[in-house]
């Protein structure tokens, strides 16, 4: 566990995000929003699993919450709700760990609104 590649992945993802953000500032068409969103959610997941024990940091860590919050900002630019669910889940999972029931409920309601507004499978 000490030699886990998650820490290296988080470092590389952080660097890639920094480069993509800089590239988006100079040439917006070169750094697609979906790629930047996927980098952010990947970083959040690497931060969750990248510690010796998930309980050492996990979903409630400030770095993890920041990564998923940034992913949510990026995800809000997409019309397709499925692109936003990874970011939403990362934020949603943090709330019970921090004993925050109000935002947990708000995020659950957001999931429900998004799913019912754009169902994946048509209703009979």
């Amino acid at each position: 566990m000490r030699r886990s590649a998650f820490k290296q992945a988080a470092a590389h993802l952080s660097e890639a995000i920094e480069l993509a953000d800089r590239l988006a500032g100079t040439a917006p068409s070169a750094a697609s929003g979906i790629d930047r969103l996927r980098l952010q959610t990947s970083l959040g997941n690497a931060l969750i699993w990248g510690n010796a024990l998930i309980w050492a940091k996990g979903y409630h860590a400030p770095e993890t919450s920041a990564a998923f919050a940034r992913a949510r900002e990026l995800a809000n630019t997409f019309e397709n709700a499925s692109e936003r669910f990874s970011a939403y889940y990362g934020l949603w999972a943090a709330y019970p760990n921090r004993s925050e029931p109000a935002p947990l409920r708000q995020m659950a309601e957001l999931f429900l609104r998004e799913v019912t507004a754009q169902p994946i499978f048509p209703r009979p």
Side-chain angles (χ1 to χ4, degrees):
M1 293 295 273
R2 283 192 322 249
R3 295 184 298 193
S4 167
F6 290 110
K7 289 182 182 182
Q8 285 181 306
H12 289 299
L13 286 164
S14 295
E15 187 175 332
I17 289 166
E18 184 180 317
L19 292 171
D21 287 346
R22 265 193 276 151
L23 187 58
T26 58
S29 62
S32 78
I34 191 69
D35 291 336
R36 293 170 64 214
L37 172 59
R38 289 180 181 149
L39 285 170
Q40 283 295 151
T41 54
S42 295
L43 173 61
N45 288 318
L47 289 168
I48 291 166
W49 298 103
N51 301 290
L53 296 170
I54 189 170
W55 294 268
K57 285 202 175 185
Y59 283 104
H60 65 280
E63 305 94 329
T64 306
S65 295
F68 284 117
R70 176 70 177 125
R72 182 179 181 189
E73 289 173 20
L74 292 168
N76 285 335
T77 63
F78 296 100
E79 287 188 33
N80 185 348
S82 65
E83 299 294 347
R84 296 190 287 269
F85 288 155
S86 292
Y88 292 170
Y89 179 78
L91 289 169
W92 174 83
Y95 297 129
N97 291 315
R98 293 191 307 237
S99 299
E100 296 180 23
L104 176 67
R105 182 181 176 95
Q106 291 171 351
M107 193 58 65
E109 290 169 351
L110 177 62
F111 267 115
L112 183 61
R113 264 194 321 270
E114 297 257 359
V115 169
T116 55
Q118 298 180 352
I120 297 171
F121 300 106
R123 293 183 182 172

